[in-house]
Amino acid sequence: MMYKYNDVRINIVEGDITEMDVDVIVNAANNTLLGGGGVDGAIHRAGGPIILEQCKKIGGCPTGEARITTAGNMPSKYVIHTVGPIYSSENKNKEKLLYNAYYNSLELAKEYNLRTIAFPSISTGVYGYPKEEACEIATNAVLDFLDKEDGLDEVYFVLFSKKDYLIYEDELNSKLG
Ligand code: APR
């Protein structure tokens, strides 16, 4: 499904983010940046050891912030590693942290003059964030960024299941439909 907002194309796709041929894909990492399971594991496997080498030099990433590396063997040029909040964690500002993970990833993409970016559904796997709540925060962060900044041509939300795809389709239909 494709939408337009402030002349930027917003696409929802069901698939594997490591296969996206865009300027940058976003990784749902953890604070160590040393890899893990889920999309983090898939990105390191598909991109190759160069990504971990660069992550080790970066030395970690606070929750809600973003760091950039090469995408190695993947079709995209870069990976932006961001860390979403763990839903069950006691910190009350988990909504703001998830919003920041998306917003700071977009700011870093702009800093590198990247024009096409693909996001997974950050924090909704191992980190347990309810998908509908996370989707609302993710789309708010992206639309707020597109209200304030230019420089992007295309934003993809890459969902790993039909169920997740439909959550995003409902949300963007209600916001942009
Ligand atoms: N492409 C796109 N989306 C994917 C892929 C993939 N190849 N693999 C998994 N996903 C989806 C999951 O289905 C989920 O909806 O990414 C979303 C995020 O799930 P996780 O990867 O578990 O990420 P998160 O919930 O943010 O937890 C991060 O998990 O893998 C570890 O090292 C990571 O500690 C960190 C934690």
Side-chain angles (χ1 to χ4, degrees):
M1 191 72 167
M2 199 277 274
Y3 305 83
K4 276 217 121 167
Y5 187 74
N6 291 356
D7 286 337
V8 176
R9 287 186 298 282
I10 298 179
N11 304 281
I12 320 172
V13 297
E14 182 185 352
D16 178 347
I17 200 166
T18 66
E19 296 169 3
M20 292 297 290
D21 187 0
V22 290
D23 290 343
V24 58
I25 62 172
V26 177
N27 181 22
N30 58 57
N31 297 120
T32 69
L33 294 187
L34 297 179
V39 70
D40 196 5
I43 283 172
H44 280 274
R45 266 193 311 278
I50 181 94
I51 297 180
L52 183 58
E53 277 166 41
Q54 293 190 358
C55 283
K56 283 179 178 167
K57 290 195 181 94
I58 293 167
C61 179
T63 302
E65 293 190 22
R67 301 291 185 270
I68 193 166
T69 68
T70 177
N73 305 320
M74 289 184 283
S76 57
K77 297 186 189 76
Y78 294 95
V79 178
I80 285 180
H81 305 263
T82 191
V83 182
I86 299 170
Y87 189 70
S88 60
S89 61
E90 64 294 336
N91 64 29
K92 56 202 173 307
N93 58 346
K94 55 192 156 198
E95 276 186 29
K96 185 66 182 146
L97 287 169
L98 184 59
Y99 181 97
N100 289 351
Y102 282 90
Y103 204 93
N104 289 329
S105 295
L106 290 162
E107 285 191 327
L108 188 51
K110 181 175 171 78
E111 214 179 293
Y112 277 69
N113 299 313
L114 305 177
R115 304 192 66 88
T116 57
I117 184 166
F119 285 101
S121 180
I122 299 166
S123 280
T124 65
V126 168
Y127 281 3
Y129 219 107
K131 296 196 182 238
E132 291 80 358
E133 283 177 53
C135 171
E136 187 179 354
I137 294 164
T139 51
N140 286 343
V142 169
L143 297 182
D144 288 350
F145 183 87
L146 298 181
D147 280 337
K148 297 189 182 80
E149 305 281 351
D150 58 8
L152 276 177
D153 294 335
E154 205 140 31
V155 179
Y156 291 85
F157 291 107
V158 183
L159 290 319
F160 214 41
S161 72
K162 188 74 187 160
K163 177 175 166 288
D164 296 2
Y165 177 95
L166 293 172
I167 291 169
Y168 272 76
E169 191 178 54
D170 284 349
E171 183 69 19
L172 285 175
N173 281 345
S174 67
K175 283 181 170 142
L176 306 176

